[in-house]
Amino acid sequence: MTQVTVRLYKQGNKMWRDFKAELIKRYESSVMVDISKSEAFSKIEKQEFNNLIVVKKKSIVEKRSVAGVDDSDILKTSVNNGLTKISKKRKEARAKYARGIAEAASQCDTLIDIAKRVGKSTSFVKRVASEFEIKLPRRNNGHEEVVSR
């Protein structure tokens, strides 16, 4: 999984410092690591521990990998957070225009007239109208609107 550095591990009267291990599982305040490839432990010690030990999260150097975000997920997480922020901003912007579109829809006969009055494209007007359930006129520029296939 993810390789981490353990600052300190104490078992009985023995102590191991600054060794590398593979992160296996996360718990609430500790993590299970695989020590089979670690050079800090002897073969006998590895057999005693069954190649697995549980250490405190505070003793792990790489805090990000222990917090629940793998290195492979870092980019995905930041991109998702950015997209969430953008979508919230866009939703707020559409909400601002919803009132104007509803008012223009009651006064105008065509979709193009509504778009001109609001100052946005017809596709934006349609999207906002469908999101906020605003009834639009069926005529588009004097002609009946073609029903989408």
Side-chain angles (χ1 to χ4, degrees):
M1 200 171 161
T2 306
Q3 190 171 34
V4 294
T5 306
V6 180
R7 281 191 200 135
L8 177 71
Y9 178 68
K10 198 173 183 180
Q11 179 72 30
N13 60 355
K14 286 192 171 186
M15 188 182 312
W16 295 268
R17 291 182 171 272
D18 298 321
F19 61 90
K20 299 269 186 200
E22 290 286 321
L23 182 67
I24 300 296
K25 192 170 184 180
R26 296 178 189 97
Y27 298 106
E28 194 170 319
S29 61
S30 58
V31 292
M32 181 184 291
V33 294
D34 180 13
I35 58 170
S36 61
K37 296 177 184 171
S38 179
E39 297 173 4
F41 296 88
S42 68
K43 285 185 178 180
I44 296 170
E45 291 168 340
K46 288 179 185 178
Q47 285 177 344
E48 286 178 14
F49 296 133
N50 288 334
N51 293 327
L52 298 173
I53 58 173
V54 177
V55 296
K56 296 177 184 176
K57 282 186 177 180
K58 290 181 179 181
S59 66
I60 302 290
V61 175
E62 294 84 0
K63 298 298 181 194
R64 187 172 254 171
S65 61
V66 175
V69 180
D70 292 334
D71 293 339
S72 61
D73 295 339
I74 291 170
L75 179 64
K76 294 175 191 171
T77 303
S78 62
V79 169
N80 286 341
N81 289 342
L83 290 174
T84 304
K85 288 178 184 176
I86 290 170
S87 66
K88 284 182 182 177
K89 286 181 182 177
R90 287 185 179 161
K91 189 170 187 175
E92 290 169 4
R94 286 194 303 269
K96 287 180 186 176
Y97 283 100
R99 249 183 290 123
I101 290 172
E103 184 181 316
S106 65
Q107 297 173 358
C108 297
D109 293 335
T110 64
L111 183 62
I112 292 176
D113 290 339
I114 296 170
K116 284 180 184 175
R117 186 174 239 178
V118 175
K120 289 290 184 178
S121 66
T122 56
S123 59
F124 178 82
V125 170
K126 286 180 185 178
R127 192 170 45 238
V128 171
S130 66
E131 185 176 342
F132 292 95
E133 298 175 1
I134 299 170
K135 188 165 173 96
L136 294 175
R138 292 179 127 323
R139 295 176 59 83
N140 184 9
N141 202 17
H143 302 288
E144 282 293 321
E145 193 170 305
V146 177
V147 179
S148 59
R149 297 173 183 108

